[in-house]
Amino acid sequence: MAQSLLTIDLGAICANWRALAQMNAGETAAVVKADAYGLGAEPVAKALADAGARTFFVALAEEGVALRNVLGPDVTICVFGGHMAGDAALIRDANLVPMINSIDQMLRHVEALPGHPFGVQLDSGMNRLGMEPAEWSALRDIALSQKPVLVMSHLACADERAHGMNAFQLQTFRQMTDGIDAPRSLAATGGTILGPDYHFDMTRPGIGLYGGLPFVDARPVVSLAIPVIQVREVNPGESVGYGNSWVARVPGRIATISAGYADGIIRAMGPKAHVWAGETRCKIVGRISMDLIGVDVSAITKMPETVELLGRHQSIDMLADAAGTIGYEILTSLGGRYARRYVGG
Amino acid sequence: MAQSLLTIDLGAICANWRALAQMNAGETAAVVKADAYGLGAEPVAKALADAGARTFFVALAEEGVALRNVLGPDVTICVFGGHMAGDAALIRDANLVPMINSIDQMLRHVEALPGHPFGVQLDSGMNRLGMEPAEWSALRDIALSQKPVLVMSHLACADERAHGMNAFQLQTFRQMTDGIDAPRSLAATGGTILGPDYHFDMTRPGIGLYGGLPFVDARPVVSLAIPVIQVREVNPGESVGYGNSWVARVPGRIATISAGYADGIIRAMGPKAHVWAGETRCKIVGRISMDLIGVDVSAITKMPETVELLGRHQSIDMLADAAGTIGYEILTSLGGRYARRYVGG
């Protein structure tokens, strides 16, 4: 087998959900957009539903339809993107709850699906999704008379506890929603950790479920074992990989391992990243290519059959540091070519 | 619809294959590993087979099995990764041709599948896959007596015409193979363009089929249209997106478009990349998030329903420049959440 093995711990995902749920008194939903952050919306959402999650969030109506087919009729499925042109049949048939982001979407929704459940997304300062304060002022009474199932917003800087944006967005959200009857939600993982002021009636954790920062106590969820295809000796002056970007200075040994940027091992991490061969950290050498990576295994006496890129020695956030990105992108980049094993569900 | 539309021009892929085939007198294979560089191995390989390709290359035996199911028995499917432990049944049942990379793999192959076709991969200096000159010296007579269907190597710097590595690898490959009876192959797309000295009996284009450099005359293959969810006014001092990394200096308008790094829009490109709204180039502002991107559309009077990230105005290589990577990674990162439309097949 040259196929790498991605192991996904559904038990850890559920434990993370329960831990986040215990931090707040309201309902704890689960964000499973983007194929559950790359980990497989079907098994992940099933496990979370078994663990007690009752409300799920996706980005697109199409994701919501797929999720409804998996979870059956008894859960609530909310769509962050709202009600887009052409979505009415999907929303109706799969009984999705669009988070209405604008007056245009509100008009589209009540015209196409009068009486169909919806939520409202407000912009409290991130300027990404949701109604602006002025729009909301104009629409608020009409919207609230239609009984939205949720009124929500999203924080831009919740992973930085001390950032002034958090208090600013909290204040804006309160100004826009204090006194309404509808349930309210502001916090994803970061906001959940910020504390009770941010919790309102529902929290919506995503990254924390999947073992990533800013939930520092999260249980890790993924491990990735990559097979070694062959090992060769290199002499000083020999280069490894495309563009001759790495040249041996001393005699050594190079393993070629069977995964690459086509598997979501972000090419930019090449110069800084490591894999683990047993208990030994081994530097990636040369450019990461599409299906293959060179690794300096000069320190290894007995070469294992696989090396670890993610797992006990290296978290998604450590690997993200090497790639100059965030753990979220490490997860969503995980490729389709891995054998996937789900444990602990 | 908030779902983006990825259009893949199978006619352009076939035209690129024919153009590369016309550059050399030998057989022109097709490299369809990594799901045909992210574009869909099944439709791409079928179209190439219809266009006349008879030999296909994949990275892993598992990819070869899937390809055999699509293409039927009449084509040759070669596996760059060779014969790994545990692969014998896959190789036998799907009639795959492993490129043997080491003495270990050779022993494994002749022991498990005596008489089954194989090729040999030689390392001519890239130190990634294939037998070293010393290994090959030891094994050569035995290997050749088993009639390998191909003896091949791979160039490390073929996209840089003037790089001295090209002539060095050519010389090494000739020293290792001149005088043998088996068909030989050294060139992928870059080597095909380097000229007849590099062609031998078979070329193996990959990226050139898919419209990428170094094949400058390639027809572009992909276009990507991303729906606009909403447009909002921003005032000076307002920030957009996570971490408040972008702040408006003048009054403007921001569109939120429905795709993000979970769709393979590499997060690192955020500060440098643009999309096109009709004929107007619009800057991405703020951090690319998982499912959403902010775009400065202040210059747009009539907002289109979708914007173009890849297509007539922007090639995979232009986008790669913004991301600090290569067109190959732009392609292989294209996500699973797009609606995919195949044209021209």
Side-chain angles (χ1 to χ4, degrees):
Chain A
M1 290 254 304
Q3 193 177 32
S4 301
L5 177 63
L6 180 70
T7 302
I8 296 161
D9 187 344
L10 296 171
I13 293 174
C14 292
N16 291 332
W17 182 79
R18 282 188 289 263
L20 289 159
Q22 281 172 0
M23 292 183 197
N24 75 103
E27 179 179 357
T28 302
V31 178
V32 294
K33 60 189 172 72
D35 200 29
Y37 289 34
L39 300 184
E42 177 168 343
V44 168
K46 275 184 178 167
L48 286 165
D50 288 345
R54 281 291 154 267
T55 303
F56 294 83
F57 283 84
V58 293
L60 314 179
E62 288 80 359
E63 294 180 307
V65 171
L67 195 63
R68 179 64 73 199
N69 291 335
V70 168
L71 293 181
D74 296 334
V75 299
T76 301
I77 299 175
C78 299
V79 180
F80 284 126
H83 190 141
M84 297 283 287
D87 278 355
L90 301 179
I91 290 169
R92 182 192 62 215
D93 296 349
N95 193 23
L96 308 177
V97 182
M99 298 293 111
I100 299 297
N101 287 301
S102 62
I103 291 177
D104 279 355
Q105 288 201 346
M106 190 76 220
L107 295 173
R108 184 180 296 137
H109 185 71
V110 297
E111 188 166 307
L113 300 174
H116 186 95
F118 69 96
V120 173
Q121 185 155 196
L122 302 176
D123 176 37
S124 53
M126 189 176 181
N127 283 308
R128 193 181 64 160
L129 282 183
M131 293 186 213
E132 300 285 309
E135 275 183 294
W136 178 235
S137 292
L139 194 70
R140 176 181 158 129
D141 291 345
I142 299 168
L144 291 174
S145 72
Q146 309 279 322
K147 304 283 178 205
V149 300
L150 190 69
V151 175
M152 61 159 286
S153 189
H154 190 69
L155 299 168
C157 303
D159 56 344
E160 299 175 63
R161 172 173 283 280
H163 202 298
M165 187 70 170
N166 296 318
F168 171 79
Q169 288 195 263
L170 175 61
Q171 182 188 28
T172 304
F173 185 62
R174 295 203 78 116
Q175 286 168 350
M176 293 172 85
T177 62
D178 272 355
I180 70 174
D181 285 335
R184 292 186 288 177
S185 176
L186 177 61
T189 298
T192 304
I193 295 166
L194 287 178
D197 287 352
Y198 291 84
H199 292 172
F200 296 92
D201 301 294
M202 176 191 281
T203 57
R204 313 177 312 265
I207 189 66
L209 306 179
Y210 308 112
L213 292 175
F215 183 22
V216 291
D217 297 325
R219 275 177 55 182
V221 168
V222 291
S223 58
L224 178 59
I226 304 175
V228 176
I229 298 183
Q230 65 182 130
V231 179
R232 74 184 71 247
E233 312 285 330
V234 291
N235 293 314
E238 284 192 70
S239 57
V240 172
Y242 281 115
N244 291 9
S245 65
W246 187 88
V247 178
R249 294 181 189 173
V250 294
R253 269 198 312 285
I254 302 297
T256 300
I257 64 173
S258 182
Y261 60 76
D263 303 292
I265 302 173
I266 298 169
R267 192 169 165 272
M269 76 176 66
K272 292 188 181 170
H274 296 78
V275 301
W276 290 78
E279 300 300 313
T280 307
R281 197 171 85 135
C282 302
K283 189 170 166 45
I284 288 176
V285 295
R287 291 192 193 149
I288 291 172
S289 49
M290 188 179 293
D291 320 289
L292 300 163
I293 301 173
V295 177
D296 183 347
V297 295
S298 305
I300 306 295
T301 47
K302 181 162 168 25
M303 195 62 212
E305 285 188 10
T306 63
V307 297
E308 172 199 308
L309 183 69
L310 292 168
R312 196 159 53 87
H313 297 90
Q314 189 156 259
S315 70
I316 57 171
D317 290 295
M318 291 163 67
L319 197 61
D321 281 346
T325 187
I326 53 180
Y328 305 64
E329 192 178 23
I330 297 294
L331 289 176
T332 60
S333 299
L334 291 167
R337 197 159 52 171
Y338 299 131
R340 289 184 177 222
R341 183 173 59 138
Y342 290 91
V343 300
Chain B
M1 291 253 302
Q3 193 177 31
S4 301
L5 176 63
L6 180 69
T7 301
I8 296 161
D9 186 343
L10 296 172
I13 293 174
C14 292
N16 291 332
W17 181 80
R18 281 188 290 263
L20 289 160
Q22 280 172 359
M23 292 183 197
N24 75 103
E27 180 179 357
T28 302
V31 178
V32 294
K33 61 190 173 69
D35 200 29
Y37 289 36
L39 300 184
E42 177 168 342
V44 168
K46 275 185 180 168
L48 286 166
D50 288 345
R54 281 291 156 265
T55 302
F56 294 83
F57 283 83
V58 294
L60 313 178
E62 289 80 0
E63 293 180 306
V65 171
L67 195 62
R68 178 65 73 199
N69 290 336
V70 167
L71 293 182
D74 296 334
V75 301
T76 301
I77 299 175
C78 300
V79 181
F80 285 126
H83 191 142
M84 297 284 287
D87 279 354
L90 301 179
I91 290 169
R92 182 192 61 214
D93 296 349
N95 192 24
L96 308 177
V97 182
M99 299 290 112
I100 300 299
N101 287 302
S102 63
I103 291 177
D104 280 356
Q105 288 201 346
M106 190 77 218
L107 295 173
R108 184 180 296 135
H109 186 70
V110 297
E111 187 167 309
L113 300 174
H116 186 96
F118 68 96
V120 173
Q121 186 155 194
L122 302 176
D123 176 37
S124 53
M126 190 175 179
N127 284 307
R128 194 181 63 160
L129 283 181
M131 294 187 213
E132 299 286 308
E135 276 182 294
W136 178 235
S137 293
L139 195 70
R140 175 180 159 130
D141 291 345
I142 298 168
L144 291 175
S145 72
Q146 309 278 321
K147 304 281 176 205
V149 300
L150 190 70
V151 174
M152 60 159 287
S153 188
H154 191 70
L155 298 168
C157 302
D159 55 345
E160 300 174 64
R161 172 173 284 281
H163 202 298
M165 188 70 170
N166 295 318
F168 172 80
Q169 287 195 262
L170 175 61
Q171 181 188 30
T172 303
F173 186 61
R174 296 203 78 117
Q175 285 168 352
M176 294 171 85
T177 61
D178 272 355
I180 69 173
D181 284 336
R184 293 186 289 177
S185 176
L186 177 60
T189 298
T192 304
I193 295 165
L194 288 179
D197 286 353
Y198 291 84
H199 292 172
F200 296 93
D201 301 295
M202 177 191 280
T203 57
R204 313 178 312 265
I207 189 66
L209 307 179
Y210 308 112
L213 292 175
F215 183 22
V216 291
D217 297 324
R219 276 176 54 182
V221 168
V222 292
S223 58
L224 178 59
I226 304 175
V228 176
I229 297 183
Q230 66 182 128
V231 177
R232 75 184 71 246
E233 312 284 330
V234 291
N235 293 315
E238 283 193 70
S239 57
V240 172
Y242 281 115
N244 291 10
S245 65
W246 186 88
V247 178
R249 295 180 188 174
V250 295
R253 269 199 313 285
I254 302 295
T256 300
I257 63 172
S258 181
Y261 61 76
D263 303 292
I265 302 172
I266 299 170
R267 191 168 166 274
M269 77 175 65
K272 292 189 180 169
H274 296 77
V275 301
W276 290 78
E279 299 301 312
T280 307
R281 198 172 86 135
C282 301
K283 189 170 168 43
I284 288 177
V285 295
R287 290 192 194 149
I288 291 173
S289 51
M290 189 179 291
D291 321 288
L292 300 163
I293 301 174
V295 177
D296 183 347
V297 294
S298 305
I300 306 295
T301 47
K302 182 166 168 20
M303 195 62 211
E305 284 188 11
T306 63
V307 297
E308 171 199 308
L309 184 69
L310 291 168
R312 195 159 53 86
H313 297 90
Q314 188 156 260
S315 70
I316 56 171
D317 290 294
M318 291 162 67
L319 197 61
D321 280 346
T325 187
I326 53 179
Y328 305 64
E329 191 178 23
I330 297 296
L331 288 176
T332 61
S333 299
L334 291 167
R337 197 160 51 170
Y338 300 131
R340 290 185 177 222
R341 182 173 60 139
Y342 290 91
V343 299

